[in-house]
Amino acid sequence: MALGHEQVGVNKFKQFDCVVDYSDHYYYHQSKPNQKSNSHGTMMINNRNTMKRIMKEWEILEKNLPPSIFVRVYEGRIDLLRAAIIGASKTPYHNGLFFFDLQFPSDYPNNPPKVYYRSFGLRLNPNLYNSGYVCLSLLNTWGGKGTERWCPDESTILQVLLSLQGLVLNEKPYYNEPGIKPAWSWESYNADVFALSCKTMLYLMKKPARNFECFIAAHFRDHASVILKACVAYRNGRVRIGLFDGDAPVGSKKKKVNVSKKFKDSMNELYPELCKAFNRIGASLKNLPEKLEDDGDGKPANGIIGKLKRFWEAMTA
């Protein structure tokens, strides 16, 4: 169900809470038919140590979550957990929301949790596959040594979430890929990432994660203006992608960075869709254009300068 105009602020939304409805959780649908549960549908965890450790994890999360991470656990399925991470500033993920569904294995903490990224079929990071698979040493889904890998006595869910935010959703995710690079440069990859982050925003507003509906609407109401201004600034080459701080003059004539035709086209398409989606949730979009246009130097010039510009755009498209 798409989001409406419910005016609930982010500050009203608890960072950690226990809720009832887990019906759209990925691992609920992946549960084996013969998995044991009681008459109320609650998972039967026979290992006392596992249950005790999960309760400890809840306590750690409730007391230590940073302001940019929100968690929901479930009364009827203590083996399930959902986390929302706000993209950090100075990264191509800034102001975005990224959701992860987690499941504690029956022998937890001997083995790490299972983690699924709610990707909507988009791959905006080398570590986050469009299938939802998460590649991370701490989850033992990628190589690593010593403390990089899961340690039953020391590793925690909080550590996993902080790793996803700081090590995965970072300022230059291009370098997360040790093999064949996903683009010709980190700048080019950041452009792709920002466009995919914008698409993720649209999917989240159209199909919000359950128990986070009000949070998603409030978050994008609060940040709609900055997100759209960033689209304008990045599209017109006024600031390097990921570094818009909300105060840069969108109409500035000073050219700072080159922008590919591919990225311009993606912003031209996504910007009006974002405007419509933000309007539907009641965001204030004063003094913002309804669509993107070149702001003075975007049209190719005649002569050698124009030819060089068109050649560069063709090479980076």
Side-chain angles (χ1 to χ4, degrees), residues 170-234:
N170 60 47
E171 62 181 358
K172 296 179 181 178
Y174 172 84
Y175 294 108
N176 290 13
E177 177 54 71
I180 299 175
K181 298 300 183 184
W184 70 274
S185 71
W186 70 263
E187 293 96 336
S188 176
Y189 188 63
N190 273 12
D192 293 339
V193 166
F194 181 74
L196 292 173
S197 180
C198 288
K199 287 185 178 180
T200 301
M201 297 176 196
L202 291 169
Y203 280 121
L204 282 171
M205 285 183 279
K206 186 176 181 180
K207 190 177 181 181
R210 199 150 296 165
N211 301 302
F212 284 87
E213 295 91 344
C214 292
F215 170 74
I216 293 170
H219 172 83
F220 287 124
R221 269 197 304 271
D222 290 348
H223 296 90
S225 179
V226 170
I227 293 167
L228 293 174
K229 287 179 180 177
C231 290
V232 176
Y234 296 153

Side-chain angles (χ1 to χ4, degrees), residues 112 136-140 147-151 155-156 159-160 163:
L136 189 66
S137 297
L138 188 57
L139 298 175
N140 295 347
T147 56
E148 293 176 350
R149 294 181 65 79
W150 182 262
C151 176
S155 300
T156 65
Q159 186 181 354
V160 170
S163 296

Side-chain angles (χ1 to χ4, degrees), residues 201-271:
M201 297 176 196
L202 291 169
Y203 280 121
L204 282 171
M205 285 183 279
K206 186 176 181 180
K207 190 177 181 181
R210 199 150 296 165
N211 301 302
F212 284 87
E213 295 91 344
C214 292
F215 170 74
I216 293 170
H219 172 83
F220 287 124
R221 269 197 304 271
D222 290 348
H223 296 90
S225 179
V226 170
I227 293 167
L228 293 174
K229 287 179 180 177
C231 290
V232 176
Y234 296 153
R235 190 258 185 227
N236 291 329
R238 301 305 166 205
V239 62
R240 196 178 297 278
I241 293 172
L243 299 183
F244 183 74
D245 62 5
D247 297 321
V250 171
S252 171
K253 298 298 181 183
K254 185 178 179 181
K255 185 75 172 179
K256 292 185 178 180
V257 294
N258 289 315
V259 182
S260 71
K261 183 179 184 300
K262 174 186 175 183
F263 181 72
K264 286 185 177 181
D265 289 344
S266 67
M267 287 297 99
N268 290 345
E269 178 182 348
L270 288 167
Y271 183 90

